[in-house]
Amino acid sequence: MSPLRWLPTFLAFPLSGLISMLLLGGSTTPWAALLGGVLVGVVIGAAQWLALRPAVGIRWLIATAAAVTLGGFLAALVVGP
């Protein structure tokens, strides 16, 4: 697999975080972390799906979005902003 195929995934991490920060202003509450997690998870999941498309289905995107959302929400609940 070509390294260029993974370029969208590498770019998705900082870009999705930046977009989340610009739209939501950070994870100041668990609900903001939940929304940010959805946004970041969908962007990263979509980029990974593009890179792995022949091997994985759209469930990869959904699972990535769900995992990032749940992780961000629980971290905000336990640790705080």
Side-chain angles (χ1 to χ4, degrees):
M1 186 178 294
S2 167
L4 286 178
R5 195 166 185 182
W6 285 100
L7 187 61
T9 300
F10 295 133
L11 296 175
F13 280 90
L15 289 178
S16 63
L18 177 65
I19 293 168
S20 178
M21 287 291 294
L22 292 174
L23 291 177
L24 301 172
S27 298
T28 56
T29 67
W31 303 111
L34 184 79
L35 291 174
V38 169
L39 178 67
V40 169
V42 167
V43 172
I44 292 171
Q48 290 176 341
W49 175 75
L50 284 172
L52 298 170
R53 194 173 5 182
V56 298
I58 197 72
R59 289 181 293 167
W60 183 275
L61 189 153
I62 295 166
T64 302
V68 172
T69 301
L70 183 62
F73 181 70
L74 290 177
L77 279 176
V78 172
V79 179

